[in-house]
Amino acid sequence: MSDTILATQDLTKEFKGFTAVDKVNLQVQRGHIHALIGPNGAGKTTCFNLLTKFLVPTRGTITFNGVDITHEKSAQIARKGVIRSFQISAVFPHLTLLENVRIALQRQLGTQYHFWKSDKSLSQLNDRALQLLGEVGLRDLADEVTVNLPYGRKRALEIATTLAMEPELMLLDEPTQGMGHEDVDRVTELIKEVSKGRTILMVEHNMKVISTIADRISVLQRGAILAEGNYEEVSQDPRVMEAYMGTTDGQLQGAH
Ligand SMILES: Nc1ncnc2c1ncn2[C@@H]1O[C@H](COP(=O)(O)OP(=O)(O)OP(=O)(O)O)[C@@H](O)[C@H]1O
Ligand SMILES: [Mg+2]
Protein backbone atom coordinates (compact mmCIF):
# COMPACT_ATOMS: atom_id res chain seq x y z
CA MET A 1 0.00 0.00 0.00
CA SER A 2 1.35 3.37 -0.93
CA ASP A 3 1.10 6.08 1.70
CA THR A 4 1.95 9.51 0.36
CA ILE A 5 3.18 12.04 2.90
CA LEU A 6 4.02 14.88 0.50
CA ALA A 7 2.63 15.51 -2.96
CA THR A 8 2.74 18.29 -5.52
CA GLN A 9 0.25 18.83 -8.29
CA ASP A 10 1.53 20.66 -11.39
CA LEU A 11 3.92 22.67 -9.25
CA THR A 12 5.30 25.51 -11.38
CA LYS A 13 7.66 28.42 -10.80
CA GLU A 14 8.32 31.08 -13.38
CA PHE A 15 10.92 33.83 -13.12
CA LYS A 16 9.98 36.63 -15.52
CA GLY A 17 8.66 34.22 -18.12
CA PHE A 18 11.42 31.63 -17.60
CA THR A 19 9.99 28.37 -16.25
CA ALA A 20 12.40 27.01 -13.63
CA VAL A 21 9.97 24.38 -12.28
CA ASP A 22 7.52 23.02 -14.81
CA LYS A 23 4.31 21.16 -13.78
CA VAL A 24 6.06 18.90 -11.30
CA ASN A 25 4.00 16.08 -9.82
CA LEU A 26 6.03 14.69 -6.99
CA GLN A 27 4.89 11.98 -4.61
CA VAL A 28 6.97 11.23 -1.56
CA GLN A 29 6.11 8.01 0.20
CA ARG A 30 6.04 7.89 3.99
CA GLY A 31 9.17 6.28 5.44
CA HIS A 32 11.23 6.77 2.31
CA ILE A 33 14.51 8.54 1.72
CA HIS A 34 13.55 10.33 -1.47
CA ALA A 35 16.22 12.07 -3.53
CA LEU A 36 15.78 14.91 -5.96
CA ILE A 37 18.57 14.90 -8.54
CA GLY A 38 19.36 16.37 -11.94
CA PRO A 39 22.06 18.21 -13.85
CA ASN A 40 23.08 21.80 -13.07
CA GLY A 41 20.26 24.27 -13.54
CA ALA A 42 17.59 21.53 -13.63
CA GLY A 43 15.46 23.29 -11.00
CA LYS A 44 16.29 21.23 -7.91
CA THR A 45 16.97 24.15 -5.60
CA THR A 46 13.97 26.08 -6.90
CA CYS A 47 11.74 23.05 -6.38
CA PHE A 48 13.14 22.54 -2.89
CA ASN A 49 12.59 26.22 -2.08
CA LEU A 50 8.96 25.89 -3.15
CA LEU A 51 8.48 22.87 -0.91
CA THR A 52 10.11 24.60 2.06
CA LYS A 53 8.24 27.86 1.49
CA PHE A 54 11.27 29.95 0.64
CA LEU A 55 9.56 30.68 -2.69
CA VAL A 56 5.92 31.10 -3.68
CA PRO A 57 4.78 28.93 -6.60
CA THR A 58 3.39 30.53 -9.75
CA ARG A 59 0.90 27.68 -10.10
CA GLY A 60 0.15 24.29 -8.64
CA THR A 61 -0.40 22.93 -5.15
CA ILE A 62 1.51 21.19 -2.37
CA THR A 63 -0.18 18.78 0.01
CA PHE A 64 1.25 17.36 3.22
CA ASN A 65 -0.59 14.45 4.81
CA GLY A 66 -3.51 15.24 2.53
CA VAL A 67 -3.72 18.87 3.67
CA ASP A 68 -3.17 21.70 1.20
CA ILE A 69 -0.13 23.64 2.47
CA THR A 70 0.49 25.66 -0.70
CA HIS A 71 -0.19 28.97 1.00
CA GLU A 72 1.37 28.26 4.39
CA LYS A 73 4.62 29.82 5.62
CA SER A 74 7.74 27.87 6.70
CA ALA A 75 6.98 28.40 10.39
CA GLN A 76 3.48 26.97 9.91
CA ILE A 77 4.64 23.87 8.09
CA ALA A 78 7.42 23.45 10.67
CA ARG A 79 4.74 23.17 13.35
CA LYS A 80 3.10 20.48 11.23
CA GLY A 81 6.40 18.54 11.21
CA VAL A 82 7.98 19.63 7.94
CA ILE A 83 11.48 20.75 8.92
CA ARG A 84 14.22 21.96 6.63
CA SER A 85 17.64 21.25 8.02
CA PHE A 86 20.71 23.50 7.89
CA GLN A 87 18.81 26.74 7.36
CA ILE A 88 16.15 26.73 10.06
CA SER A 89 18.40 24.86 12.44
CA ALA A 90 21.58 26.86 12.00
CA VAL A 91 23.78 26.38 15.05
CA PHE A 92 25.41 28.98 17.29
CA PRO A 93 29.19 28.61 16.91
CA HIS A 94 30.17 29.92 20.35
CA LEU A 95 27.82 27.75 22.37
CA THR A 96 28.53 24.17 23.32
CA LEU A 97 26.93 21.27 21.48
CA LEU A 98 24.70 20.58 24.45
CA GLU A 99 23.56 24.22 24.61
CA ASN A 100 22.75 24.22 20.92
CA VAL A 101 20.55 21.14 21.14
CA ARG A 102 18.92 22.49 24.32
CA ILE A 103 17.99 25.71 22.54
CA ALA A 104 16.44 23.71 19.70
CA LEU A 105 14.43 21.70 22.23
CA GLN A 106 13.29 24.84 24.02
CA ARG A 107 12.20 26.33 20.74
CA GLN A 108 10.22 23.19 20.00
CA LEU A 109 8.48 23.50 23.38
CA GLY A 110 7.76 27.12 22.48
CA THR A 111 4.97 28.53 24.57
CA GLN A 112 5.23 25.71 27.09
CA TYR A 113 7.84 27.91 28.69
CA HIS A 114 7.07 26.79 32.22
CA PHE A 115 7.86 23.23 31.34
CA TRP A 116 11.58 23.91 31.40
CA LYS A 117 11.75 26.59 34.06
CA SER A 118 12.02 24.28 37.04
CA ASP A 119 15.24 22.41 37.87
CA LYS A 120 13.55 19.10 37.25
CA SER A 121 12.48 20.02 33.74
CA LEU A 122 15.88 21.53 33.06
CA SER A 123 17.53 18.23 33.84
CA GLN A 124 14.95 16.45 31.67
CA LEU A 125 15.89 18.85 28.90
CA ASN A 126 19.58 18.02 29.39
CA ASP A 127 18.80 14.31 29.29
CA ARG A 128 16.90 14.66 26.04
CA ALA A 129 19.63 16.85 24.55
CA LEU A 130 22.28 14.27 25.45
CA GLN A 131 20.12 11.54 23.98
CA LEU A 132 19.85 13.44 20.68
CA LEU A 133 23.60 14.07 20.65
CA GLY A 134 24.00 10.33 21.18
CA GLU A 135 21.79 9.64 18.15
CA VAL A 136 24.21 11.53 15.91
CA GLY A 137 27.35 10.17 17.58
CA LEU A 138 28.32 13.37 19.40
CA ARG A 139 27.53 12.55 23.01
CA ASP A 140 31.17 12.57 24.07
CA LEU A 141 31.59 16.07 22.65
CA ALA A 142 28.58 17.56 24.48
CA ASP A 143 30.61 20.21 26.31
CA GLU A 144 32.81 21.13 23.38
CA VAL A 145 32.34 24.60 21.86
CA THR A 146 30.71 24.21 18.44
CA VAL A 147 33.21 26.36 16.55
CA ASN A 148 35.95 23.81 17.34
CA LEU A 149 34.16 20.99 15.52
CA PRO A 150 35.31 19.72 12.15
CA TYR A 151 32.83 20.38 9.30
CA GLY A 152 31.26 16.93 9.14
CA ARG A 153 30.59 16.93 12.89
CA LYS A 154 28.94 20.35 12.60
CA ARG A 155 26.57 18.91 10.04
CA ALA A 156 25.82 16.06 12.44
CA LEU A 157 25.05 18.63 15.14
CA GLU A 158 22.70 20.40 12.75
CA ILE A 159 20.91 17.12 12.22
CA ALA A 160 20.58 16.74 16.01
CA THR A 161 19.05 20.23 16.31
CA THR A 162 16.67 19.34 13.48
CA LEU A 163 15.69 16.11 15.25
CA ALA A 164 14.95 18.20 18.35
CA MET A 165 12.09 19.75 16.38
CA GLU A 166 10.59 16.30 15.87
CA PRO A 167 10.32 16.31 12.10
CA GLU A 168 7.88 13.98 10.42
CA LEU A 169 9.33 15.03 7.09
CA MET A 170 12.95 16.15 7.08
CA LEU A 171 14.17 18.18 4.13
CA LEU A 172 17.91 18.10 3.50
CA ASP A 173 19.57 20.45 1.06
CA GLU A 174 22.79 18.87 -0.25
CA PRO A 175 23.77 17.41 3.13
CA THR A 176 27.21 16.22 1.99
CA GLN A 177 28.18 19.28 -0.02
CA GLY A 178 31.79 20.34 0.45
CA MET A 179 32.76 17.28 2.48
CA GLY A 180 35.70 14.93 2.19
CA HIS A 181 35.17 11.17 1.75
CA GLU A 182 35.20 10.28 5.42
CA ASP A 183 32.65 12.91 6.38
CA VAL A 184 30.47 11.98 3.40
CA ASP A 185 30.41 8.36 4.55
CA ARG A 186 29.67 9.34 8.14
CA VAL A 187 26.84 11.72 7.23
CA THR A 188 25.39 9.19 4.75
CA GLU A 189 25.28 6.61 7.52
CA LEU A 190 23.77 9.18 9.86
CA ILE A 191 20.98 10.09 7.44
CA LYS A 192 20.20 6.39 7.04
CA GLU A 193 20.10 6.07 10.82
CA VAL A 194 17.84 9.08 11.50
CA SER A 195 15.50 8.12 8.65
CA LYS A 196 14.08 5.37 10.83
CA GLY A 197 10.52 6.35 11.66
CA ARG A 198 10.65 9.47 9.49
CA THR A 199 10.57 10.55 5.88
CA ILE A 200 13.47 12.34 4.25
CA LEU A 201 13.49 14.37 1.06
CA MET A 202 16.93 15.45 -0.04
CA VAL A 203 18.59 17.30 -2.86
CA GLU A 204 21.96 15.64 -3.39
CA HIS A 205 24.61 15.71 -6.08
CA ASN A 206 26.74 12.84 -4.85
CA MET A 207 25.60 9.71 -6.70
CA LYS A 208 27.40 7.41 -4.29
CA VAL A 209 25.30 8.83 -1.47
CA ILE A 210 22.13 8.48 -3.55
CA SER A 211 22.90 4.90 -4.58
CA THR A 212 23.62 3.95 -0.96
CA ILE A 213 20.56 5.36 0.79
CA ALA A 214 17.82 6.61 -1.56
CA ASP A 215 14.67 4.46 -1.72
CA ARG A 216 13.32 6.52 -4.57
CA ILE A 217 14.75 9.10 -6.92
CA SER A 218 13.12 11.81 -9.00
CA VAL A 219 15.28 13.16 -11.80
CA LEU A 220 14.65 16.74 -12.89
CA GLN A 221 15.66 18.20 -16.21
CA ARG A 222 14.81 21.70 -17.37
CA GLY A 223 12.32 22.04 -14.55
CA ALA A 224 10.34 18.89 -15.32
CA ILE A 225 10.50 15.34 -13.97
CA LEU A 226 12.41 13.27 -16.49
CA ALA A 227 12.42 9.91 -14.72
CA GLU A 228 11.59 8.29 -11.39
CA GLY A 229 12.42 5.03 -9.70
CA ASN A 230 15.08 3.40 -7.57
CA TYR A 231 18.79 3.83 -8.29
CA GLU A 232 19.01 0.82 -10.61
CA GLU A 233 16.10 2.06 -12.66
CA VAL A 234 17.09 5.70 -13.08
CA SER A 235 20.81 5.05 -13.54
CA GLN A 236 20.07 2.73 -16.46
CA ASP A 237 17.51 5.01 -18.04
CA PRO A 238 18.96 6.26 -21.36
CA ARG A 239 17.17 9.61 -21.00
CA VAL A 240 18.83 10.14 -17.63
CA MET A 241 22.26 9.18 -18.96
CA GLU A 242 21.79 11.62 -21.80
CA ALA A 243 20.69 14.39 -19.46
CA TYR A 244 23.89 14.01 -17.46
CA MET A 245 26.14 13.69 -20.47
CA GLY A 246 28.53 16.56 -20.89
CA THR A 247 27.49 18.32 -17.71
CA THR A 248 29.90 19.29 -14.98
CA ASP A 249 28.14 17.04 -12.51
CA GLY A 250 28.00 14.04 -14.82
CA GLN A 251 28.85 11.67 -11.96
CA LEU A 252 26.04 9.24 -12.66
CA GLN A 253 28.14 6.71 -14.51
CA GLY A 254 30.95 6.88 -12.01
CA ALA A 255 28.87 5.90 -9.00
CA HIS A 256 29.45 2.16 -9.08
N1 LIG B 1 15.62 33.96 -8.71
C1 LIG B 1 15.79 33.56 -9.98
N2 LIG B 1 15.56 34.38 -11.01
C2 LIG B 1 15.73 33.95 -12.29
N3 LIG B 1 16.11 32.72 -12.63
C3 LIG B 1 16.35 31.84 -11.65
C4 LIG B 1 16.21 32.21 -10.27
N4 LIG B 1 16.52 31.12 -9.50
C5 LIG B 1 16.85 30.16 -10.37
N5 LIG B 1 16.75 30.57 -11.65
C6 LIG B 1 17.01 29.77 -12.86
O1 LIG B 1 16.22 28.59 -12.78
C7 LIG B 1 16.94 27.46 -13.27
C8 LIG B 1 16.98 26.39 -12.21
O2 LIG B 1 17.84 26.82 -11.16
P1 LIG B 1 18.08 25.96 -9.84
O3 LIG B 1 18.98 26.74 -8.98
O4 LIG B 1 16.78 25.56 -9.27
O5 LIG B 1 18.82 24.69 -10.45
P2 LIG B 1 19.54 23.48 -9.68
O6 LIG B 1 18.99 22.22 -10.23
O7 LIG B 1 19.47 23.67 -8.22
O8 LIG B 1 21.05 23.63 -10.20
P3 LIG B 1 22.44 23.30 -9.46
O9 LIG B 1 22.66 21.83 -9.61
O10 LIG B 1 23.43 24.09 -10.23
O11 LIG B 1 22.33 23.72 -8.02
C9 LIG B 1 18.30 27.98 -13.68
O12 LIG B 1 18.30 28.20 -15.07
C10 LIG B 1 18.45 29.29 -12.93
O13 LIG B 1 19.26 30.18 -13.62
MG1 LIG C 1 20.90 23.94 -6.72
PDB file of all heavy atoms in Angstrom, residues 41 43-46 173-174 203 205, ligand 2:
ATOM      1  N   GLY A  41      21.301  23.416 -12.983  1.00  0.00           N
ATOM      2  CA  GLY A  41      20.258  24.273 -13.540  1.00  0.00           C
ATOM      3  C   GLY A  41      18.936  23.569 -13.799  1.00  0.00           C
ATOM      4  O   GLY A  41      18.026  24.144 -14.400  1.00  0.00           O
ATOM      5  N   GLY A  43      16.589  22.778 -11.779  1.00  0.00           N
ATOM      6  CA  GLY A  43      15.463  23.285 -11.005  1.00  0.00           C
ATOM      7  C   GLY A  43      15.326  22.656  -9.627  1.00  0.00           C
ATOM      8  O   GLY A  43      14.320  22.865  -8.934  1.00  0.00           O
ATOM      9  N   LYS A  44      16.345  21.912  -9.205  1.00  0.00           N
ATOM     10  CA  LYS A  44      16.290  21.225  -7.906  1.00  0.00           C
ATOM     11  C   LYS A  44      16.126  22.200  -6.742  1.00  0.00           C
ATOM     12  O   LYS A  44      15.237  22.038  -5.898  1.00  0.00           O
ATOM     13  CB  LYS A  44      17.570  20.401  -7.680  1.00  0.00           C
ATOM     14  CG  LYS A  44      17.832  19.367  -8.745  1.00  0.00           C
ATOM     15  CD  LYS A  44      19.124  18.614  -8.480  1.00  0.00           C
ATOM     16  CE  LYS A  44      20.381  19.470  -8.544  1.00  0.00           C
ATOM     17  NZ  LYS A  44      20.704  19.977  -9.904  1.00  0.00           N
ATOM     18  N   THR A  45      17.013  23.194  -6.708  1.00  0.00           N
ATOM     19  CA  THR A  45      16.972  24.149  -5.602  1.00  0.00           C
ATOM     20  C   THR A  45      15.662  24.938  -5.615  1.00  0.00           C
ATOM     21  O   THR A  45      15.042  25.139  -4.563  1.00  0.00           O
ATOM     22  CB  THR A  45      18.186  25.107  -5.668  1.00  0.00           C
ATOM     23  OG1 THR A  45      19.370  24.320  -5.560  1.00  0.00           O
ATOM     24  CG2 THR A  45      18.161  26.111  -4.539  1.00  0.00           C
ATOM     25  N   THR A  46      15.226  25.338  -6.797  1.00  0.00           N
ATOM     26  CA  THR A  46      13.965  26.079  -6.900  1.00  0.00           C
ATOM     27  C   THR A  46      12.808  25.227  -6.392  1.00  0.00           C
ATOM     28  O   THR A  46      11.967  25.692  -5.619  1.00  0.00           O
ATOM     29  CB  THR A  46      13.712  26.516  -8.363  1.00  0.00           C
ATOM     30  OG1 THR A  46      14.865  27.203  -8.838  1.00  0.00           O
ATOM     31  CG2 THR A  46      12.503  27.419  -8.457  1.00  0.00           C
ATOM     32  N   ASP A 173      19.080  19.786   2.257  1.00  0.00           N
ATOM     33  CA  ASP A 173      19.574  20.445   1.064  1.00  0.00           C
ATOM     34  C   ASP A 173      21.060  20.151   0.907  1.00  0.00           C
ATOM     35  O   ASP A 173      21.884  20.698   1.624  1.00  0.00           O
ATOM     36  CB  ASP A 173      19.331  21.954   1.225  1.00  0.00           C
ATOM     37  CG  ASP A 173      19.527  22.694  -0.075  1.00  0.00           C
ATOM     38  OD1 ASP A 173      19.819  22.037  -1.086  1.00  0.00           O
ATOM     39  OD2 ASP A 173      19.390  23.917  -0.064  1.00  0.00           O
ATOM     40  N   GLU A 174      21.403  19.264  -0.004  1.00  0.00           N
ATOM     41  CA  GLU A 174      22.791  18.866  -0.251  1.00  0.00           C
ATOM     42  C   GLU A 174      23.574  18.626   1.039  1.00  0.00           C
ATOM     43  O   GLU A 174      24.549  19.323   1.328  1.00  0.00           O
ATOM     44  CB  GLU A 174      23.477  19.929  -1.105  1.00  0.00           C
ATOM     45  CG  GLU A 174      22.699  20.183  -2.387  1.00  0.00           C
ATOM     46  CD  GLU A 174      23.581  20.645  -3.533  1.00  0.00           C
ATOM     47  OE1 GLU A 174      24.808  20.448  -3.451  1.00  0.00           O
ATOM     48  OE2 GLU A 174      23.048  21.186  -4.503  1.00  0.00           O
ATOM     49  N   VAL A 203      17.918  16.969  -1.617  1.00  0.00           N
ATOM     50  CA  VAL A 203      18.594  17.302  -2.862  1.00  0.00           C
ATOM     51  C   VAL A 203      20.038  16.890  -2.659  1.00  0.00           C
ATOM     52  O   VAL A 203      20.641  17.219  -1.641  1.00  0.00           O
ATOM     53  CB  VAL A 203      18.527  18.815  -3.158  1.00  0.00           C
ATOM     54  CG1 VAL A 203      19.415  19.166  -4.340  1.00  0.00           C
ATOM     55  CG2 VAL A 203      17.107  19.246  -3.438  1.00  0.00           C
ATOM     56  N   HIS A 205      23.850  15.870  -4.841  1.00  0.00           N
ATOM     57  CA  HIS A 205      24.607  15.711  -6.083  1.00  0.00           C
ATOM     58  C   HIS A 205      25.403  14.418  -6.116  1.00  0.00           C
ATOM     59  O   HIS A 205      25.643  13.858  -7.171  1.00  0.00           O
ATOM     60  CB  HIS A 205      25.601  16.877  -6.243  1.00  0.00           C
ATOM     61  CG  HIS A 205      25.049  18.020  -7.023  1.00  0.00           C
ATOM     62  ND1 HIS A 205      24.775  19.236  -6.447  1.00  0.00           N
ATOM     63  CD2 HIS A 205      24.678  18.132  -8.316  1.00  0.00           C
ATOM     64  CE1 HIS A 205      24.279  20.040  -7.373  1.00  0.00           C
ATOM     65  NE2 HIS A 205      24.211  19.400  -8.511  1.00  0.00           N
TER      66      HIS A 205
HETATM   67 MG    MG B   2      20.903  23.940  -6.721  1.00  0.00          MG
END
